[in-house]
Amino acid sequence: MSATRTLIAPAERNRRTGRLLYRFVLASTVVGFTLAFVFPLYWMASGALKSSAELADPDPTFWPRTFHPESYSAAWTNVGLGHYFLNTLLLAAGAWLFQLVVDVCAAYALSKLRPALGNVVLGMMLATLMLPVSALLVPTYLTVTDVPLLHLNLINTPWAIWLPACANAFNIFILKRFFDQIPAELLESARLDGAGSLRVLWSLVLPLSRPVLAVVSIFAVVGVWKDFLWPLLVLPDPARQPLTVALNRLAEFMPANQLLAGMVMASLPLLVIFLLFQRHIIAGLTAGSLKG
């Protein structure tokens, strides 16, 4: 068994100076990354508690001089954030459902049914991940304004969000990697008992795939919840816009502290989802990485 190689040799780390240096570097790295991710959230949440005059002060304050928690209730009632929350929830729920159906079926077909040229299809899917999102905006927009064969205009409808989100190459790849680890003997025994491909998928594969399904679900919801540019293009009607677009549109009419309060409330669901399901995210991402 080969020894694990590290940046610091084990003999050097066993010395007092080596241990101190190792702990210093480790603590500095952890604290630095924590501050880089947490400080913007703190600055946004604390800014919502400040007055508009304090936010406009050229000398920023780390802690609010006076607390104004009423900015949260004012942001909720004055601009009708509840309506935009419902819009965002509808878009996220639909995108989650369609992504699960399409991506699971595609990954199952590529992994277990093994169609002709399946590897070519998977390679073409993964190639789309190399393209910047901006390069896909124009063709995708032209597609939703005039759906091929059907000739439907999906602008100002949830379908303009749901349909482009259906086929997600990254999610298909994750699901396929997980399905590849399911023993073929299990599937063959189910088929010998008379189960068809759909029955095997529903009764055997999906129950075994709960960790990775949780990861895909979280990615689907978060992707739609935080998206800004695409909803801005395909949902010009203010009554149909999600939170991200509505806050940007209303920014010039809202006091700065209320705008920050709206951003905090828009971010809270995603933070709660991550904190509740972080173990599922890690388990799902690593479940298909090792065989055995």
Side-chain angles (χ1 to χ4, degrees):
M1 182 177 178
S2 59
T4 303
R5 301 189 64 178
T6 61
L7 292 176
I8 303 176
E12 187 67 29
R13 198 171 61 182
N14 289 334
R15 298 177 182 177
R16 185 173 182 274
T17 304
R19 288 197 303 270
L20 292 177
L21 180 61
Y22 174 78
R23 291 171 183 172
F24 173 77
V25 172
L26 178 62
S28 301
T29 303
V30 172
V31 171
F33 276 98
T34 301
L35 289 177
F37 286 100
V38 173
F39 183 75
L41 299 177
Y42 165 78
W43 194 254
M44 180 174 61
S46 63
L49 296 174
K50 300 176 182 178
S51 64
S52 298
E54 186 177 354
L55 283 173
D57 193 331
D59 296 325
T61 56
F62 185 78
W63 189 258
R65 299 192 189 101
T66 57
F67 287 86
H68 296 272
E70 67 276 4
S71 60
Y72 284 91
S73 59
W76 182 268
T77 57
N78 291 351
V79 298
L81 284 185
H83 173 74
Y84 299 115
F85 256 105
L86 291 177
N87 287 350
T88 309
L89 185 61
L90 174 65
L91 296 176
W96 165 76
L97 178 62
F98 285 111
Q99 275 197 47
L100 275 189
V101 173
V102 174
D103 294 355
V104 166
C105 292
Y108 178 69
L110 292 172
S111 175
K112 298 304 180 184
L113 303 184
R114 301 189 180 279
L117 301 178
N119 290 333
V120 176
V121 173
L122 179 62
M124 294 175 64
M125 289 182 182
L126 295 179
T128 62
L129 298 177
M130 304 298 110
L131 298 174
V133 176
S134 55
L136 302 175
L137 283 178
V138 173
T140 309
Y141 184 82
L142 294 177
T143 301
V144 299
T145 54
D146 186 13
V147 180
L149 301 179
L150 300 178
H151 300 292
L152 297 176
N153 189 343
L154 303 179
I155 298 297
N156 272 328
T157 67
W159 295 100
I161 303 293
W162 295 342
L163 291 184
C166 280
N168 188 298
F170 182 69
N171 289 343
I172 292 175
F173 177 72
I174 292 177
L175 288 164
K176 180 185 179 301
R177 289 283 297 170
F178 188 91
F179 293 163
D180 288 342
Q181 308 307 315
I182 298 178
E185 292 78 7
L186 285 176
L187 307 186
E188 290 299 329
S189 63
R191 292 192 178 97
L192 290 176
D193 291 336
S197 297
L198 289 179
R199 179 74 180 191
V200 171
L201 173 63
W202 180 261
S203 301
L204 186 61
V205 175
L206 291 184
L208 294 174
S209 307
R210 289 176 183 172
V212 74
L213 291 178
V215 172
V216 171
S217 299
I218 293 170
F219 284 168
V221 173
V222 171
V224 174
W225 197 281
K226 69 181 180 63
D227 196 12
F228 169 74
L229 184 56
W230 183 246
L232 178 67
L233 294 175
V234 299
L235 298 175
D237 184 1
R240 299 176 181 270
Q241 291 174 346
L243 267 172
T244 52
V245 180
L247 286 173
N248 177 74
R249 177 174 53 84
L250 297 170
E252 57 181 314
F253 307 108
M254 297 174 64
N257 59 347
Q258 293 185 22
L259 177 62
L260 289 175
M263 293 179 179
V264 172
M265 290 186 286
S267 304
L268 277 178
L270 301 184
L271 293 175
V272 171
I273 288 175
F274 174 76
L275 293 175
L276 290 179
F277 298 102
Q278 56 179 327
R279 291 185 179 178
H280 296 277
I281 296 175
I282 297 173
L285 289 175
T286 58
S289 60
L290 297 175
K291 291 184 178 182

